[in-house]
Amino acid sequence: MSDKNYILSIAGFDPSSGAGITSDIKTFEAHNLYGLSICTAITVQNDITFKKCYWVEKEIIISQIETLFERFDIKVAKIGIIESWEVLLEVVQTLKIFNSDIKIILDPILKASAGFDFHANSDLEVFERVLQNCDFVTPNYEEIKSLFPNKSTEETIEFLSEKTNVYLKGGHREDKKGWDEVYHNKIVKLNIPPIADAIFEKHGSGCVLSSAFAANLYKEASIEDAAKNAKAYTEEFLNSNPSLLGNHQYYDK
């Protein structure tokens, strides 16, 4: 089918719909894209409390991918939580089998805000192979620190950018809070400043930014424009209301 612009979210299900696949779908729809979704986990949580995570079996995830590609032309996939780097590697390799040109944007969620650790015992050597199959990785500063505790932030960024392009989210920065950085083609660094003051915090804002960035890449925006547009969309989401659950509005960029 080619009558719609199909983009794929591979992520967990958050019952509050603030994060995960439902949040991704809302963001895609706001960018006038049709969001397809593959569930990797069922979480027991709301917007303030994370209690448990039940992982979807690898075979089911792969079967979901195969079935969607039987019907849809998928050019971009955004990936959130998956049980391990080993399962993630098989997922990205499967995507490449069905579309060797697919753009993969990985949002490497390592911990829930309540402290649940998703990848405590994973093999980081496998993660390196995952990165080599992705077009962008979109960590925040806390995730950068957790990926390689024995490396400085600068060393980790350098390591990641040697493997893939990096969109570093600045919401957790201690200095210049809200300033994002984009590293691409190994040598180009872009500074993406806040466009407006983010008055309210939101559950799932990191998922929203990564999904908005993926949506803009789908629309073939330049990397700099994609980053700026995603930033603007996320700030509108943050300021949409005073609660922890934001509203998504149509975004014509």
Side-chain angles (χ1 to χ4, degrees):
M1 296 179 69
S2 59
D3 58 329
K4 294 182 182 293
N5 297 316
Y6 297 105
I7 184 170
L8 175 62
S9 167
I10 303 176
F13 174 70
D14 167 11
S16 77
S17 290
I21 51 177
T22 45
S23 174
D24 292 348
I25 296 302
K26 293 178 190 177
T27 304
F28 295 155
E29 295 279 354
H31 287 79
N32 202 30
L33 301 176
Y34 190 94
L36 304 168
S37 59
I38 289 174
C39 186
T40 59
I42 306 295
T43 64
V44 180
Q45 68 178 112
N46 54 38
D47 55 333
I48 60 173
T49 303
F50 191 108
K51 295 184 177 181
K52 199 168 183 63
C53 179
Y54 297 93
W55 296 109
V56 174
E57 295 178 8
K58 177 185 68 176
E59 291 74 18
I60 296 175
I61 297 172
I62 299 301
S63 181
Q64 291 180 85
I65 294 173
E66 293 171 345
T67 302
L68 285 181
F69 272 94
E70 288 173 2
R71 180 107 171 118
F72 303 108
D73 178 21
I74 304 170
K75 299 176 182 177
V76 175
K78 182 256 183 177
I79 303 177
I81 60 168
I82 288 184
E83 182 176 6
S84 67
W85 301 135
E86 290 79 11
V87 173
L88 178 55
L89 179 60
E90 192 160 340
V91 166
V92 296
Q93 289 174 335
T94 301
L95 292 172
K96 292 286 188 179
I97 289 172
F98 285 97
N99 181 359
S100 60
D101 295 323
I102 192 169
K103 287 187 173 69
I104 299 175
I105 293 80
L106 172 64
D107 192 26
I109 301 169
L110 304 179
K111 286 188 178 182
S113 56
F116 186 90
D117 195 335
F118 292 113
H119 292 294
N121 300 309
S122 288
D123 186 345
L124 285 174
E125 291 184 7
V126 176
F127 181 51
E128 294 179 28
R129 296 172 61 194
V130 169
L131 293 174
Q132 293 166 349
N133 281 278
C134 294
D135 294 88
F136 258 96
V137 60
T138 62
N140 60 40
Y141 268 75
E142 293 300 317
E143 288 160 344
I144 279 284
K145 294 175 183 177
S146 298
L147 275 172
F148 299 101
N150 61 329
K151 295 180 184 290
S152 68
T153 299
E154 293 74 18
E155 289 172 336
T156 301
I157 293 170
E158 181 180 359
F159 174 84
L160 293 176
S161 60
E162 288 175 351
K163 304 291 187 297
T164 188
N165 299 307
V166 180
Y167 187 121
L168 180 57
K169 295 176 278 193
H172 292 80
R173 290 184 69 160
E174 295 177 359
D175 66 319
K176 298 176 73 174
K177 186 175 178 63
W179 281 69
D180 299 346
E181 295 175 354
V182 178
Y183 302 81
H184 68 102
N185 293 333
K186 297 185 180 180
I187 58 172
V188 180
K189 175 184 174 183
L190 301 172
N191 289 300
I192 312 298
I195 298 166
D197 290 333
I199 302 173
F200 307 112
E201 293 185 358
K202 289 289 180 289
H203 170 55
S205 57
C207 295
V208 170
L209 194 151
S210 297
S211 298
F213 184 60
N216 276 275
L217 292 179
Y218 181 99
K219 294 184 171 186
E220 299 183 348
S222 69
I223 289 175
E224 184 170 9
D225 285 345
K228 289 179 177 178
N229 292 342
K231 185 76 170 177
Y233 180 83
T234 304
E235 289 180 1
E236 286 188 10
F237 170 78
L238 288 169
N239 293 327
S240 62
N241 68 60
S243 80
L244 284 172
L245 297 175
N247 299 113
H248 293 262
Q249 304 293 331
Y250 177 69
Y251 194 74
D252 187 18
K253 288 288 185 180

